[in-house]
Amino acid sequence: MDVISEFFSEYDGLQAFRTTIYLTLLSAVFALLIGTVVAVMRVSPVRVLQVIGTAYVNIVRNTPLTLVIVFCNLGLFLQLGVALANKDSNTFINDNNFRLAVLGLSVYHASFVAEAIRSGVNTVPLGQAEAARAIGLPFLKTLRYVVLPQAFRGAIAPLGNVLIALTKNSTVASVIGVTEASAVMKVMIENRPDVLFIVFGIFALGFVILTLPVGVLFTSMSKRLAVKR
Amino acid sequence: MSSSSVLFDAPGPRAKRLYAAVGVGSIVVLLLVLWFVISKLNDKGQLTAAKWKPFLTGEIWTQYLLPGLAGTLIAAAISVVLAMLVGILLGVGRLSAQAWIRLPCSVIVEFFRAVPVLLMMLFLFALYAKYEVFPPERLALAAVVTALMLYNGAVVAELVRSGVYSLPKGQGEAAMAIGLTGGKTMRLVLLPQAITAMLPAIVGQLVVILKDTALGYIITYEELLRKAEQIGNYASNLLPALIVVGAIFVIVNYLLSLAAQRVESAMRRRGRSAGGPLTADPTDQNAVGAFAGPGPSDSVGTT
């Protein structure tokens, strides 16, 4: 079982999974922010905003994530010179790739977050918004105080699905050289083809450990936090 | 518009002016952003005719784009057929009354939904190379197809399960009452209806599979994204190539989503199945796919 000790010592597999977790959490926060804005645009009364929001969701959802991430590196950085880290620091390439990956993952998953929140808005009964309007709240206040708080609670299950998908999708960041779990697995497989199954088993298990509790947590949260009607 | 229109009243004159102002303002912001992007592209010399002209020549299409599209579509087509087969077997297995069939099927489904497709691809690529399962030129395709088959098979298995759950209880009871065995009830009565109900979700899942073939780029499968990179090397116009390939993906996938909606509304009109048509969980449409596919509760009639 020396391959397991190699995983910890030589390849620093824990560090790889830590990078996976950082990628996931940072992207989740940005995706939630962008996604909420897009969802609000899509339900807003202003036609132009609706069109922009819908276009965003339709375009991003139909583009492969691999293309989005590759575009961030080859397109944004190498061709257009958009750098997200300090060029003088000696960890520039690592930092920049990591941040570009976060950018790509956030932009991509924001479209799914927007759809999840919109489905949450659909769970709020009509009477709630009608009552808010009846007491004179304008559109934004209706959303902020009455509809969105209930919508988020109704959207917890699909948001959990997005978070789990995001965890697994963060592996695509390896394509632009972020050393997260899948990148390290690739190196280990190349160096130790004799223990292929064990190496795959370790990394697969890592993802099962990362994703299964999130699924259970979000399912129980969606039941506990659902607005009782 | 059913739910959003209730969030605001029919606008009066003042609100109309406000909406118009916000509309104009957001158009201005959008134009500013576009202008910024275009001027940036222009500064870097990405908008010159030399960069874009290759896409008007037949050579780029016959040498790169069409073979790339073929690679993407072939991998997606094989994967979807195999995923259907695997998914129906696993889904029926999970519904089996025998625990020794049900439990392994459940473990397999949960495992392949939890493991990233890319991890599977990298593993299978190495596995096939080591044991020489496929000829070298087919290695990448085989790894892409197998990984997509296993992941999407697990998703389809969950669709089968929720499809069967969505059927009225009387369907199974009636089949039992006329003396069909459990297996025959499933095969002759429940499964055909469940699969009909699944159709829109399956067509929707095609979008996921088509997007996931782009992961083949990482293991050197010759699909659209890989071809875009080659165009970039050949005509030194990487950015335009990526944009064109992205547009092809968006158009093909958008047409597929439209087809899924068509199938769904056609089924609603015909009302062939006792259960309503299932729709794909919107969160399931990810490049690498979502983990918790449509469960019995959250996928049925989400529209």
Side-chain angles (χ1 to χ4, degrees):
Chain A
M1 285 285 127
D2 55 331
V3 65
I4 292 179
S5 60
E6 260 177 55
F7 168 81
F8 286 108
S9 57
E10 212 170 304
Y11 295 99
D12 209 352
L14 283 185
Q15 178 58 40
F17 271 104
R18 215 170 295 145
T19 307
T20 296
I21 295 171
Y22 286 151
L23 264 181
T24 305
L25 292 182
L26 270 177
S27 311
V29 171
F30 286 120
L32 191 61
L33 291 176
I34 305 172
T36 310
V37 172
V38 174
V40 169
M41 281 166 80
R42 289 197 75 178
V43 298
S44 78
V46 181
R47 186 92 185 99
V48 180
L49 291 182
Q50 288 172 15
V51 172
I52 296 174
T54 311
Y56 178 91
V57 169
N58 278 335
I59 290 175
V60 173
R61 277 212 327 187
N62 288 321
T63 314
L65 175 64
T66 322
L67 180 70
V68 175
I69 303 262
V70 167
F71 183 84
C72 283
N73 188 38
L74 296 183
L76 280 185
F77 174 58
L78 288 178
Q79 305 280 320
L80 297 181
V82 179
L84 298 179
N86 182 4
K87 275 205 166 123
D88 301 323
S89 93
N90 45 11
T91 55
F92 166 68
I93 294 187
N94 281 339
D95 292 353
N96 194 45
N97 284 343
F98 180 84
R99 287 174 198 179
L100 286 170
V102 169
L103 175 71
L105 287 169
S106 318
V107 165
Y108 180 80
H109 289 90
S111 63
F112 298 94
V113 169
E115 288 305 272
I117 292 174
R118 221 162 60 95
S119 77
V121 170
N122 285 336
T123 66
V124 180
L126 302 185
Q128 295 284 330
E130 282 171 356
R133 291 208 327 268
I135 58 169
L137 292 183
F139 170 72
L140 278 180
K141 284 191 172 161
T142 305
L143 270 185
R144 210 169 92 210
Y145 294 117
V146 181
V147 175
L148 274 187
Q150 299 184 57
F152 273 111
R153 292 167 70 165
I156 283 175
L159 284 176
N161 286 349
V162 177
L163 181 60
I164 291 165
L166 176 53
T167 312
K168 299 191 297 162
N169 287 351
S170 67
T171 51
V172 180
S174 66
V175 73
I176 59 170
V178 179
T179 45
E180 44 62 68
S182 75
V184 174
M185 185 185 90
K186 191 163 183 250
V187 176
M188 278 188 83
I189 281 182
E190 275 157 14
N191 292 343
R192 296 294 304 273
D194 50 320
V195 284
L196 189 60
F197 282 92
I198 300 177
V199 173
F200 173 67
I202 295 173
F203 283 91
L205 185 69
F207 276 95
V208 172
I209 291 172
L210 279 184
T211 52
L212 272 188
V214 177
V216 174
L217 177 75
F218 271 81
T219 308
S220 80
M221 260 168 61
S222 72
K223 280 182 191 133
R224 222 155 15 95
L225 294 180
V227 182
K228 299 282 184 296
R229 304 198 155 92
Chain B
M1 286 302 291
S2 58
S3 74
S4 53
S5 57
V6 80
L7 291 172
F8 42 84
D9 277 309
R14 217 167 70 93
K16 266 188 184 152
R17 276 199 302 277
L18 179 69
Y19 293 170
V22 175
V24 170
S26 40
I27 288 178
V28 169
V29 171
L30 186 68
L31 288 178
L32 278 176
V33 170
L34 281 180
W35 177 79
F36 176 76
V37 171
I38 287 172
S39 68
K40 190 100 187 174
L41 287 173
N42 200 21
D43 286 352
K44 302 281 175 182
Q46 294 289 349
L47 294 181
T48 54
K51 300 257 183 202
W52 290 88
K53 221 167 179 178
F55 296 104
L56 299 177
T57 64
E59 199 195 347
I60 286 282
W61 287 88
T62 54
Q63 296 288 315
Y64 295 98
L65 289 174
L66 292 180
L69 186 62
T72 294
L73 292 178
I74 287 169
I78 302 175
S79 306
V80 75
V81 172
L82 293 179
M84 281 287 283
L85 288 176
V86 169
I88 289 172
L89 283 178
L90 285 175
V92 171
R94 261 196 114 163
L95 290 164
S96 165
Q98 259 79 37
W100 63 272
I101 301 178
R102 195 174 59 237
L103 291 180
C105 286
S106 301
V107 171
I108 292 172
V109 167
E110 293 301 335
F111 178 78
F112 285 119
R113 287 200 310 170
V115 175
V117 179
L118 179 58
L119 230 57
M120 290 291 304
M121 263 182 210
L122 293 172
F123 166 68
L124 289 165
F125 191 61
L127 181 80
Y128 291 159
K130 187 180 167 195
Y131 294 103
E132 291 169 5
V133 185
F134 293 95
E137 70 275 11
R138 291 261 173 270
L139 269 185
L141 174 65
V144 169
V145 165
T146 321
L148 291 182
M149 171 188 85
L150 292 173
Y151 171 69
N152 293 290
V155 174
V156 171
E158 286 306 274
L159 282 171
V160 170
R161 206 158 71 112
S162 55
V164 169
Y165 278 140
S166 75
L167 295 174
K169 255 176 91 184
Q171 296 285 332
E173 285 167 358
M176 295 288 201
I178 58 169
L180 295 184
T181 58
K184 276 193 170 166
T185 303
M186 180 59 72
R187 213 174 62 239
L188 300 175
V189 179
L190 299 180
L191 203 52
Q193 301 187 68
I195 291 177
T196 319
M198 271 162 56
L199 267 182
I202 293 286
V203 181
Q205 193 64 20
L206 261 173
V207 175
V208 181
I209 296 179
L210 205 76
K211 288 198 300 177
D212 279 359
T213 57
L215 289 169
Y217 168 82
I218 297 167
I219 55 167
T220 68
Y221 177 57
E222 298 266 318
E223 47 71 63
L224 264 175
L225 186 52
R226 173 65 56 191
K227 290 292 180 189
E229 197 186 30
Q230 291 171 2
I231 295 173
N233 292 336
Y234 164 75
S236 60
N237 59 349
L238 183 58
L239 204 60
L242 285 177
I243 292 171
V244 168
V245 162
I248 295 176
F249 267 113
V250 170
I251 292 168
V252 173
N253 284 333
Y254 188 70
L255 292 178
L256 278 177
S257 343
L258 282 186
Q261 281 168 25
R262 275 280 179 78
V263 174
E264 196 197 330
S265 62
M267 280 174 49
R268 273 196 207 292
R269 274 201 309 278
R270 268 167 59 208
R272 267 285 292 279
S273 168
L278 301 173
T279 51
D281 182 344
T283 58
D284 212 45
Q285 307 198 346
N286 292 282
V288 189
F291 158 74
S297 58
D298 60 14
S299 79
V300 183
T302 40
T303 41

